[in-house]
């Protein structure tokens, strides 16, 4: 049994056997032209009555889009056929005819989301999912080469990490618990044994906003490193992004093209990335026609102003302490700032990474948690980490779907994940 992609490597006249799904279908006189799809691509099959016999021809005539079928035939070079070759069938059979497929041309985005479980068979979604898988593999490969260990975090937790507003609460045998917002605090646990670790798991955010870059459930890659400071943290981030993008551009140019990515632009994504302080970024936003004050966070419009004409992602660093999470280390040169960075993707794709140096001393962390009015009993275990052999450390979180959206140049983050969960969608 061959794959569709083998057809284009086969010599003229070779016999092949394929199985897959009907992608397109039309009859012209005594020939059925059927485009067959499998995991590896699509190929045209010509099924002639006098070649396959009456019975098989009837079957070929009688299929639906997405019926599953088996074909045997010879490879024929044909410049007019997509890919430069087609199959001249010698035998044809149906595996499962099924029912008429509900997806045809020109259907609304909402309908396609309702039948997401079927739409994932489309060439568009197939290509994106292949690319997503490859990107994740390259990210893992990067950390593997650097000597990181991957560890699984709990998904059900009792303490939030990024503020109460976006926590999903659940009833845990009569107790209040949450779906994890970030695995960072658990990643911090592991560094005291394994030093360089990463967690790759879903994070949940009860985001009330409907935007093209917010999901309620997204995949989060969260590395955490003992003895890394703010600067080393950012260097690791840019090296990681460069590694994944470079491997996609060099090893999968055709797939990138099919997904609609701008491979030429991606070739320029090389470390080091530009760095800008928060303060300077606020000035830039205002100079470019935006309007914001020191102490406000950047929204999509402000991020777009900052990155509209960039070729590489931009680090914005050292934000005001008062708008950032409780665990971030203070800037030694300015107690109003923290040693953090957000990495903004070019052309308005927005923030793909949030990272920081962590407060590693007990007293400082306790004080900051009190300032944030956190319920300390939920965080005792986290404070414990600062009681026994604490060390300076840093880490960051990359939102996989945000990264995929940028690399593949997708319009909406929902296409970067098979089953998007958003404010108004939790089915299928
Ligand atoms: O809230 S973050 O900015 N930071 C954290 O959660 C840290 N605890 C990570 C860490 O240091 N280990 O989120 C990190 C990234 C952010 O830059 C986005 O790329 C992504 O997570 N993110 C999201 N992606 C999709 N949808 C939503 N709602 C979302 N929120 C964050």
């Amino acid at each position: 049994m061959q794959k569709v992609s083998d057809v284009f490597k086969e010599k003229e006249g070779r016999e092949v056997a394929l199985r897959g799904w009907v992608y397109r279908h039309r009859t012209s006189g005594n020939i059925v032209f059927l485009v067959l799809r499998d995991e590896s691509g699509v190929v045209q099959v010509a099924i002639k009555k006098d070649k396959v016999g009456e019975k098989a021809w009837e079957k070929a005539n009688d299929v639906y889009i997405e019926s599953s079928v088996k074909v045997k035939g010879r490879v024929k070079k044909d410049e007019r056929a997509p890919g430069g070759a087609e199959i001249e069938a010698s035998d044809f059979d149906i595996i499962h005819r099924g029912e008429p497929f509900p997806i045809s041309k020109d259907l609304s985005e909402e309908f396609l989301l309702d039948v997401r479980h079927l739409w994932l068979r489309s060439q568009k979604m197939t290509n994106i999912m292949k690319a997503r898988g490859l990107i994740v593999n390259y990210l893992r490969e990067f950390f593997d080469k650097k000597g990181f260990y991957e560890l699984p975090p709990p998904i059900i937790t009792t303490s939030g990490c990024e503020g109460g507003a976006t926590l999903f609460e659940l009833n845990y045998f009569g107790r209040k618990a949450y779906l994890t917002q970030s695995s960072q605090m658990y990643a911090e646990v592991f560094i005291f044994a394994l030093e360089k670790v990463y967690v790759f798991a879903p994070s949940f955010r009860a985001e009330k906003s409907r935007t093209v870059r917010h999901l309620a459930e997204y995949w989060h890659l969260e590395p955490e490193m003992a003895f890394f400071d703010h600067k080393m943290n950012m260097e690791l981030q840019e090296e990681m992004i460069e590694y994944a993008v470079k491997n996609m551009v060099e090893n999968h140019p055709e797939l990138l093209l099919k997904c609609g990515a701008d491979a030429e632009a991606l070739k320029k994504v090389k470390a080091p990335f530009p760095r800008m302080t928060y303060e300077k970024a606020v000035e830039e936003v205002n100079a470019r026609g935006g309007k914001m004050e020191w102490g406000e966070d950047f929204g999509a419009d402000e991020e777009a102003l900052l990155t509209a004409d960039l070729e590489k992602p931009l680090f914005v660093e050292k934000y005001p302490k008062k708008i950032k999470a409780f665990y971030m280390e203070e800037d030694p040169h300015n107690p109003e700032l923290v040693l953090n960075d957000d990495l903004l993707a070019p052309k308005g794709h927005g923030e793909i990474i949030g990272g920081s140096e962590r407060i590693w001393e007990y007293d400082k962390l306790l004080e900051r948690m009190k300032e944030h009015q956190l319920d300390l009993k939920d965080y005792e275990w986290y404070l414990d980490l600062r009681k026994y052999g604490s060390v300076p450390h840093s880490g960051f979180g990359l939102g996989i779907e945000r990264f995929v959206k940028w690399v593949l140049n997708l319009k909406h983050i929902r296409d970067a994940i098979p089953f998007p969960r958003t404010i108004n969608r939790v089915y299928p």
Side-chain angles (χ1 to χ4, degrees):
M1 190 73 67
Q2 283 85 5
K3 288 199 291 188
V4 164
S5 56
D6 297 330
V7 170
F8 303 106
K9 297 178 213 149
E10 292 287 345
K11 294 211 170 53
E12 171 97 32
R14 273 280 195 81
E15 272 282 334
V16 291
L18 302 170
R19 65 185 163 203
W21 294 264
V22 176
Y23 182 64
R24 288 209 179 99
H25 183 245
R26 75 184 162 87
T27 306
S28 170
N30 280 340
I31 313 178
V32 172
F33 289 102
L34 182 151
V35 178
L36 181 80
R37 159 180 89 66
D38 75 3
E39 162 270 317
S40 66
V42 296
V43 65
Q44 179 163 292
V45 184
I47 305 162
K48 295 180 181 160
K49 201 181 214 170
D50 59 344
K51 290 262 163 61
V52 297
E54 181 97 27
K55 222 168 137 198
W57 191 82
E58 287 296 329
K59 284 186 183 173
N61 228 330
D62 203 30
V63 292
Y64 293 124
I65 297 296
E66 290 302 313
S67 293
S68 45
V69 299
K70 296 192 277 199
V71 180
K72 278 192 188 136
R74 280 180 197 290
V75 176
K76 228 180 93 192
K77 302 272 177 215
D78 183 346
E79 288 311 315
R80 291 161 307 169
E86 65 168 19
I87 307 289
E88 205 171 66
S90 56
D91 198 8
F92 178 88
D93 205 356
I94 295 177
I95 301 170
H96 181 229
R97 178 167 176 256
E99 297 179 24
F101 198 61
I103 303 178
S104 53
K105 280 216 169 97
D106 300 328
L107 292 166
S108 72
E109 281 292 322
E110 276 307 300
F111 178 76
L112 293 179
L113 286 164
D114 286 339
V115 292
R116 187 72 163 187
H117 51 297
L118 303 175
W119 180 236
L120 285 169
R121 301 180 184 194
S122 65
Q123 290 297 290
K124 174 182 169 181
M125 292 312 299
T126 304
N127 288 326
I128 294 174
M129 290 307 137
K130 278 185 187 172
R132 178 193 162 110
L134 290 163
I135 288 170
V136 169
N137 286 349
Y138 286 124
L139 291 167
R140 285 186 191 281
E141 189 177 272
F142 174 80
F143 287 107
D144 195 35
K145 284 186 179 165
K146 292 256 172 208
F148 281 63
Y149 296 93
E150 189 198 345
L151 286 145
I155 301 298
I156 302 173
T157 68
T158 54
S159 39
C161 175
E162 300 298 322
T166 60
L167 279 173
F168 272 112
E169 195 178 308
L170 59 97
N171 178 338
Y172 190 74
F173 305 113
R175 280 188 54 183
K176 198 190 274 186
Y178 307 101
L179 291 176
T180 187
Q181 233 178 1
S182 155
S183 299
Q184 175 195 321
M185 296 196 294
Y186 293 94
E188 285 184 63
V189 171
F190 303 135
I191 63 147
F192 297 97
L194 296 161
E195 300 193 22
K196 289 191 294 185
V197 300
Y198 73 93
V199 163
F200 184 48
S203 282
F204 301 86
R205 306 273 168 115
E207 300 277 4
K208 303 267 162 31
S209 45
R210 279 182 70 167
T211 78
V212 297
R213 52 200 207 160
H214 284 95
L215 293 166
E217 177 182 77
Y218 70 96
W219 283 77
H220 206 171
L221 177 71
E222 302 192 80
E224 195 71 31
M225 299 77 65
F227 310 111
F228 267 53
D229 65 14
H230 172 60
K231 185 163 169 278
M232 294 159 81
N233 193 20
M234 289 199 292
E235 283 163 2
L236 185 71
Q237 292 165 43
E238 60 194 359
E239 208 186 321
M240 171 194 77
I241 298 290
E242 176 183 318
Y243 185 87
V245 170
K246 180 167 174 272
N247 274 286
M248 287 305 289
V249 170
E250 286 179 2
N251 303 332
H252 310 283
E254 281 177 20
L255 182 59
L256 286 178
L257 193 71
K258 285 184 195 164
C259 291
D262 183 349
E264 284 311 307
L266 292 174
K267 279 184 191 157
K268 297 179 185 140
V269 178
K270 295 226 156 62
F273 299 162
R275 285 145 167 79
M276 193 185 273
T277 60
Y278 166 88
E279 188 164 336
K280 178 85 174 88
V282 171
E283 281 169 28
E284 281 296 317
V285 166
N286 289 323
R288 293 176 198 188
K291 197 170 177 320
M292 69 180 290
E293 281 175 25
W294 194 94
E296 288 174 350
D297 210 348
F298 308 101
D301 293 345
E302 290 76 29
E303 288 180 357
L305 285 174
L306 287 171
T307 62
D309 41 43
L310 286 183
E311 291 182 332
K312 302 179 187 187
L314 168 72
F315 280 115
V316 180
E317 55 174 336
K318 301 186 179 170
Y319 281 57
K321 190 195 274 177
K322 64 175 186 185
I323 58 167
K324 282 293 172 184
F326 70 91
Y327 50 73
M328 294 183 180
E329 185 69 271
E330 198 173 281
D331 179 356
H333 304 295
N334 184 344
E336 281 193 80
L337 306 180
V338 282
L339 293 177
N340 81 308
D341 67 272
D342 280 358
L343 185 66
L344 311 183
K347 312 254 165 352
H349 280 280
E351 181 199 318
I352 55 173
I353 290 179
S356 69
E357 205 173 306
R358 322 301 192 189
I359 301 177
W360 65 285
E361 290 153 304
Y362 183 87
D363 293 341
K364 275 195 198 165
L365 184 60
L366 186 67
E367 192 186 307
R368 186 79 69 77
M369 290 173 103
K370 284 183 180 157
E371 278 167 28
H372 279 253
Q373 298 179 331
L374 296 176
D375 193 345
L376 293 180
K377 72 174 179 337
D378 292 334
Y379 295 87
E380 261 170 40
W381 66 268
Y382 186 66
L383 277 160
D384 257 1
L385 304 177
R386 275 73 177 168
K387 281 190 191 165
Y388 315 102
S390 189
V391 292
H393 61 283
S394 299
F396 62 91
L398 168 73
I400 293 298
E401 291 77 17
R402 293 257 183 106
F403 184 40
V404 169
K405 176 179 180 288
W406 163 50
V407 173
L408 302 185
N409 201 18
L410 306 178
K411 288 199 187 74
H412 202 295
I413 194 168
R414 65 180 169 226
D415 282 338
I417 189 164
F419 293 100
R421 298 291 180 245
T422 52
I423 189 161
N424 52 3
R425 184 163 292 279
V426 60
Y427 174 94

